[in-house]
Amino acid sequence: MNNKQIAFAGVWNKYLPAIRILVKKAAAAEQVITLNQSDMERAVGIKKSGYRFSIDFVNGRPDLLYSNNEIAQALISVLTEDEVIREYLSGNNYTFSFNNKYQLQIKINLTQKEAMSPDAQESAAR
């Protein structure tokens, strides 16, 4: 990890207890947490909005490499190092989206089979 990633990881670790709760609640509905803007600005030493990314976790792993995005890399590192969150990520597919309003949105992505109603599943099985 470079210095920026370490600084961002510190911010993500600060919010980790709340993120754990929201990951669990995401099974019922999309969840959002708003981070303190000054926390992010202090992490990099400059005032800059425009931090935006979306990470899809499939089978416990991010779907893409985020080599040019230190804030996304730091989040991936923090999430995958946490045993509780890692367990949720391995059991379901999640999307973590961060926008320029410093909001982290967490939602679970159901597979097509899970999203179908029981009647539709029975019809599809025939």
Side-chain angles (χ1 to χ4, degrees):
M1 267 193 194
N2 65 34
N3 288 341
K4 278 188 182 180
Q5 289 173 343
I6 292 169
F8 284 130
V11 174
W12 290 123
N13 277 315
K14 176 181 177 180
Y15 291 94
L16 190 59
I19 293 171
R20 272 191 207 118
I21 293 167
L22 296 179
V23 166
K24 182 178 180 181
K25 288 183 173 184
E30 181 176 314
Q31 302 295 311
V32 177
I33 182 172
T34 302
L35 281 63
N36 188 325
Q37 180 177 349
S38 62
D39 287 341
M40 287 295 180
E41 291 172 351
R42 274 193 304 256
V44 290
I46 57 172
K47 291 185 178 185
K48 176 185 173 189
S49 63
Y51 298 114
R52 297 179 68 172
F53 61 84
S54 182
I55 305 167
D56 291 317
F57 279 88
V58 179
N59 298 323
R61 296 178 168 244
D63 64 337
L64 299 171
L65 295 176
Y66 294 87
S67 57
N68 294 331
N69 191 332
E70 283 108 355
I71 190 170
Q73 286 181 321
L75 178 61
I76 291 167
S77 176
V78 167
L79 293 177
T80 56
E81 289 173 4
D82 185 81
E83 190 175 320
V84 173
I85 293 177
R86 193 172 52 236
E87 198 171 305
Y88 282 108
L89 293 177
S90 66
N92 297 294
N93 297 334
Y94 284 86
T95 298
F96 292 80
S97 300
F98 191 70
N99 63 32
N100 57 1
K101 295 179 183 177
Y102 299 92
Q103 295 175 325
L104 180 66
Q105 298 171 324
I106 304 167
K107 68 179 182 177
I108 194 166
N109 299 320
L110 299 176
T111 62
Q112 186 176 1
K113 185 176 180 180
E114 292 170 325
M116 281 196 260
S117 68
D119 293 335
Q121 287 181 15
E122 187 176 312
S123 297
R126 290 182 199 163

